[in-house]
Amino acid sequence: MGSLWLFDRAMLTMHILSCTSLFVYFCGGASTLTAVKFETALLLIKWTAEILTGQFTKDLLMHHLCMLGAAAAVNYFPQHAFLVVYVQAIHLPLAVNYSRRLSHKRRGSIVDQLFVVLWFLAVAARNTMLLRHSGRAIWNGDGVRWVLPPLALPLAVLDVMWTQDTLHRRERPWLSGTAAAIVGSTMGFFSGEPA
């Protein structure tokens, strides 16, 4: 068993924990601040696992710094903390992908196709949501305008880069990917602060 197997197992565990946390949050069982703290702790554990298994890359560094910046910004802009939680929905497709890798399912399998659809859904939703809330913050002169767009932009660039990589490794899922992106964008546009 090599470090890649350990890495995949660690990432699957972290993403399942994140999805469980999101489920508890969306069912009203955890506050936004608790969810942000939990996701931040998972991030630090994942970061450590990436370093220990030799899987740490510059793109992950940028991703982690954006997440830590967002978690720190919650202290100054608590009314926007829900955004930090919502963007973690990307962990559902990642959990599916790591389970595919660990079960040795091939690319193109039904599990892989589910990953691709969930990936497009999550990426479209979170980037549309961040774009909408960034635009609203700039338009309204909200102080978060100095934090949200600079943190959202690198995340969007990473998502585009990672989506291109995902597509490059697979047959192009144009129909399912496009449909998921449309649904995800709609969900992201109408995502607002929880009641």
Side-chain angles (χ1 to χ4, degrees), residues 41-62:
L42 286 179
L43 169 78
L44 296 173
I45 295 167
K46 284 175 19 181
W47 197 338
T48 302
E50 290 160 356
I51 291 170
L52 292 175
T53 58
Q55 300 299 314
F56 188 65
T57 58
K58 291 178 185 174
D59 56 328
L60 290 174
L61 174 63
M62 177 60 68

Side-chain angles (χ1 to χ4, degrees), residues 131-154:
L131 177 65
R132 177 177 164 253
H133 286 275
S134 293
R136 189 172 71 184
I138 292 167
W139 181 263
N140 294 336
D142 187 334
V144 79
R145 73 185 182 278
W146 302 109
V147 179
L148 182 55
L151 291 174
L153 181 60

Side-chain angles (χ1 to χ4, degrees), residues 77-147:
F77 306 102
Q79 69 276 25
H80 298 285
F82 72 95
L83 294 170
V84 178
V85 179
Y86 282 28
V87 298
Q88 306 307 316
I90 196 71
H91 293 157
L92 178 59
L94 290 173
V96 170
N97 192 45
Y98 283 107
S99 78
R100 177 197 63 81
R101 287 169 51 154
L102 285 165
S103 65
H104 306 291
K105 300 287 184 195
R106 294 181 180 259
R107 287 194 178 103
S109 68
I110 192 75
V111 175
D112 189 57
Q113 291 174 30
L114 177 62
F115 157 70
V116 171
V117 169
L118 291 173
W119 174 265
F120 272 93
L121 185 69
V123 165
R126 80 181 192 165
N127 285 289
T128 303
M129 179 185 64
L130 290 174
L131 177 65
R132 177 177 164 253
H133 286 275
S134 293
R136 189 172 71 184
I138 292 167
W139 181 263
N140 294 336
D142 187 334
V144 79
R145 73 185 182 278
W146 302 109
V147 179

Side-chain angles (χ1 to χ4, degrees), residues 161-177:
M161 184 179 78
W162 290 332
T163 299
Q164 288 174 341
D165 183 58
T166 295
L167 289 175
H168 177 72
R169 296 172 186 231
R170 291 165 176 82
E171 287 188 31
R172 306 247 188 250
W174 294 115
L175 184 59
S176 60

